């Protein structure tokens, strides 16, 4: 390892390792302060960013942030690296790579950006994001194309999908069904109808899967269901013959972080194989769904890198995307403000983190969505979330998450409402997934301009759906 130095206003700053250089170059966030790895001043941050900009991009293939020998995520990243995909940018520095991405984005060259994914490591993506303004993250994210599918096609240009999240504090079937219908009538649910169960009981998981599958089947809805139980619970549900569309799991960017979640790479591979064997897709075969969030590794004391040094939370978050990428997901989302102000203190930090996560995830080839959310004890409000929501829509976010009335009554945090998805689509001229849009039209839920319309007596198909919520 080589100590690197940068000078600002006549003062020299030294960065003994790549771990420290990455951390000091990161825009300010409370989690890095908590971990003791944040820059001590704006000048030190600028010095680190200047040094990082001149770092050859290929450095990340030879010098690790988390050691190869002790971490299976690092081994996964380096052992599966695609040198041919990396070749077009292999000679660039991090700063030059940033400039190249912005030039491609300005030219609308989506193919050039998207083709890089197998050749990029998470640290390359994270380093580049640290040199970008918010507008840069939006511009490149918008031109990075990732398309996936199971029973609906996600990630097409001009589309914004949504996860309909019908959580209920007791998993009450009537309450869950009412929330599903509420979301469907507002044009939501084309990414997934995904429930956070109140317990991790295999029996409850199977019951919820069967409930959602019945709604999807009865009304011919081109979407997929998911009960966000632990992957081991989903494996038991598969053994019982449950209608599993998507295997879900929260993942982290280090081996100890994933151990804290109770998962291994082999376990994820086993569950994916089980879901694939069911053959439930109609337009594709992406059967996994992963959730992440900045600060998860730190909260599990699983954030150490080379020499035991703390790794910044944004770099660790991006490493989680390498885990997700390996299993060809239909969906990945960062729950950007869910952990709390210890990791992202205020609206500015949450907004920045959401744009970073979206940019890095898509650059690495992921169908990236965001739960635009916050906890009530954070210095965040709905205006902050509106700004992030609209910026993500502009950036080509694959999907947003929405709950009834924007208040998650089971997890006790604030997310987006179903109407917020409609607002984003309307303001930015975006549409649902094509198969779901056609279903909305068949259900008499679209007006002549293709917008979700008010439920009226001349929409018998939709009113039949409404009646289902009370039976």
């Amino acid at each position: 390892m080589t100590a690197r130095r940068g000078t600002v206003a006549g003062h020299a700053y030294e960065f003994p390792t790549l771990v420290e250089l990455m951390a000091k170059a990161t825009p300010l966030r409370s989690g890095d302060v908590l971990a003791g790895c944040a820059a001590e001043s704006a000048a030190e941050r600028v010095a680190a960013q200047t040094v990082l900009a001149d770092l050859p991009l290929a450095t990340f293939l030879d010098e690790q942030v988390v050691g190869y020998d002790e971490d299976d995520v690092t081994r996964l990243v380096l052992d599966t690296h695609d040198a041919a995909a990396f070749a077009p940018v292999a000679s660039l520095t991090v700063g030059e790579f940033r400039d190249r991405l912005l030039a491609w984005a300005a030219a609308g060259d989506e193919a050039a950006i998207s083709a890089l994914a197998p050749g990029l490591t998470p640290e390359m993506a994270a380093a580049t994001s640290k040199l970008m303004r918010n507008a840069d993250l939006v511009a490149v994210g918008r031109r990075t194309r990732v398309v996936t599918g199971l029973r609906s096609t996600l990630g097409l240009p001009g589309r914004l999908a949504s996860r309909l999240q019908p959580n209920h504090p007791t998993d009450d079937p009537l309450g869950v069904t009412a929330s599903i219908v509420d979301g469907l009538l507002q044009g939501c649910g084309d990414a997934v109808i995904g429930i956070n169960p109140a317990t991790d009981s295999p029996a409850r998981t199977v019951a919820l899967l069967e409930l959602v599958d019945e709604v999807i089947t009865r009304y011919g809805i081109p979407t997929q269901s998911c009960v966000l139980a632990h992957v081991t619970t989903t494996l038991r549900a598969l053994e019982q013959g449950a209608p599993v569309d998507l295997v879900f799991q929260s993942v982290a960017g280090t081996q100890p972080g994933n151990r804290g979640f109770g998962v291994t790479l082999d376990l994820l591979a086993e569950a994916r194989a089980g879901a694939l064997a069911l053959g439930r897709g109609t337009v594709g075969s992406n059967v996994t769904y992963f959730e992440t969030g900045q600060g998860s590794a730190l909260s599990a004391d699983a954030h150490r890198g080379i020499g035991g040094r703390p790794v910044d939370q944004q770099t660790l978050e991006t490493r989680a995307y390498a885990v997700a990428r390996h299993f060809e997901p239909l969906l990945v989302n960062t729950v950007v403000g869910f952990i709390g102000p210890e990791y992202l203190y205020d609206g500015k930090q949450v907004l920045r983190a959401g744009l970073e996560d979206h940019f890095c995830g898509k650059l690495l080839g992921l169908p990236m969505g965001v739960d635009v959310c916050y906890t009530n004890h954070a210095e965040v409000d709905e205006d902050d979330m509106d700004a992030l929501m609209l910026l993500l829509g502009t950036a080509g976010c694959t999907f947003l998450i929405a709950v009834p009335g924007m208040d998650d009554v089971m997890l006790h945090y604030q997310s987006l409402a179903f109407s917020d998805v409609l607002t984003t689509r309307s303001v930015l001229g975006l549409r649902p997934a094509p198969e779901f849009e056609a279903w909305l039209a068949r259900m008499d839920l679209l007006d002549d301009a293709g917008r979700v319309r008010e439920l009226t007596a001349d929409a018998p198909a939709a009113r039949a759906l409404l009646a289902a919520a009370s039976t």
Side-chain angles (χ1 to χ4, degrees):
M1 299 180 189
T2 304
R4 300 174 174 93
R5 295 176 178 84
T7 301
V8 172
H11 185 84
Y13 298 89
E14 184 171 296
F15 310 102
T17 68
L18 186 59
V19 174
E20 287 153 303
L21 176 63
M22 292 281 279
K24 302 293 188 182
T26 305
L28 178 64
R29 62 210 58 202
S30 54
D32 292 340
V33 175
L34 179 64
C37 63
E40 295 183 2
S41 66
E44 184 180 27
R45 184 172 298 109
V46 169
Q49 290 171 339
T50 302
V51 173
L52 186 62
D54 291 333
L55 191 73
L57 201 60
T59 301
F60 295 103
L61 298 176
D62 302 317
E63 189 174 340
Q64 283 77 58
V65 170
V66 182
Y68 181 94
D69 292 335
E70 65 260 23
D71 193 272
D72 62 1
V73 177
T74 301
R75 292 194 293 274
L76 176 69
V77 168
L78 296 178
D79 292 351
T80 60
H81 180 255
D82 188 330
F86 182 56
V89 295
S91 64
L92 303 181
T93 65
V94 176
E96 290 169 341
F97 180 52
R98 167 194 174 273
D99 293 345
R100 182 70 59 85
L101 288 173
L102 289 169
W104 278 334
D109 194 345
E110 295 182 355
I113 300 173
S114 303
L116 294 173
L120 299 178
T121 71
E123 289 83 358
M124 292 175 188
T128 306
S129 74
K130 297 176 194 299
L131 305 181
M132 302 179 90
R133 293 169 51 193
N134 288 352
D136 299 336
L137 299 172
V138 170
V140 178
R142 181 179 179 83
R143 295 299 185 186
T144 308
R145 187 66 51 212
V146 182
V147 179
T148 59
L150 189 65
R151 286 198 292 272
S152 57
T153 305
L154 307 176
L156 294 171
R159 307 278 178 173
L160 174 65
S162 62
R163 169 181 158 190
L164 195 171
Q165 185 168 269
N167 295 347
H168 192 278
T170 64
D171 292 336
D172 176 69
L174 183 58
V176 169
T177 304
S179 293
I180 291 173
V181 172
D182 185 20
L184 291 171
L185 291 174
Q186 295 186 64
C188 292
D190 45 341
V192 63
I193 300 175
I195 305 172
N196 291 99
T199 75
D200 209 41
S201 156
R204 184 65 60 84
T205 296
V206 171
L208 289 171
L209 285 168
E210 290 175 342
L211 184 156
V212 182
D213 186 63
E214 181 181 353
V215 173
I216 289 173
T217 302
R218 180 186 297 182
Y219 295 99
I221 308 170
T223 189
Q224 34 282 322
S225 68
C226 186
V227 174
L228 282 69
H230 192 268
V231 66
T232 54
T233 303
T234 303
L235 275 168
R236 293 178 66 180
L238 283 165
E239 292 168 358
Q240 297 175 40
V244 175
D245 290 334
L246 298 177
V247 170
F248 169 82
Q249 183 55 49
S250 295
V251 292
T254 65
Q255 185 173 346
N258 286 317
R259 188 185 304 125
F261 282 131
V263 297
T264 64
L265 300 181
D266 288 343
L267 183 62
L268 295 175
E270 179 186 355
R272 176 176 179 267
L276 279 172
L278 296 182
R280 293 176 61 82
T282 56
V283 298
S285 58
N286 300 108
V287 295
T288 57
Y289 176 16
F290 297 105
E291 204 160 74
T292 67
Q294 287 194 30
S296 59
L298 174 58
S299 68
D301 193 26
H303 62 294
R304 303 286 174 176
I306 295 289
R309 295 172 178 85
V311 181
D312 70 272
Q313 67 183 38
Q314 191 257 335
T315 297
L316 291 178
E317 167 72 5
T318 307
R319 283 172 55 88
Y321 303 155
V323 176
R325 176 174 64 179
H326 185 65
F327 298 101
E328 300 179 10
L330 176 76
L331 304 166
V332 177
N333 74 263
T334 170
V335 191
V336 68
F338 178 69
I339 303 182
E342 302 89 342
Y343 306 96
L344 295 169
Y345 178 72
D346 57 17
K348 181 175 182 178
Q349 292 187 12
V350 170
L351 186 147
R352 171 73 191 190
L355 295 178
E356 288 171 346
D357 294 351
H358 176 260
F359 163 83
C360 289
K362 286 189 75 178
L363 194 62
L364 292 171
L366 294 182
M368 203 67 196
V370 178
D371 190 353
V372 179
C373 62
Y374 63 99
T375 58
N376 287 316
H377 63 305
E379 292 296 320
V380 186
D381 61 26
E382 293 167 14
D383 287 338
D384 297 317
M385 297 301 94
D386 286 348
L388 177 55
M389 171 184 76
L390 292 170
L391 282 170
L392 287 167
T394 304
C397 188
T398 301
F399 71 104
L400 298 173
I401 294 179
V403 301
M406 77 188 308
D407 184 6
D408 192 310
V409 296
M410 198 276 281
L411 295 175
H412 303 294
Y413 75 110
Q414 307 304 308
S415 187
L416 298 181
F418 300 135
S419 58
D420 292 322
V421 175
L422 293 184
T423 295
T424 306
R425 287 173 178 161
S426 176
V427 169
L428 301 177
L430 302 171
R431 297 154 59 193
E435 299 86 358
F436 192 80
E437 184 179 41
W439 177 81
L440 290 172
R442 291 196 301 272
M443 296 296 289
D444 309 311
L445 283 171
L446 298 182
D447 63 18
D448 292 340
R451 297 169 298 198
V452 174
R453 66 171 185 151
E454 184 179 357
L455 188 63
T456 60
D458 62 340
R463 295 192 71 83
L465 182 64
L466 181 62
S470 60
T471 61

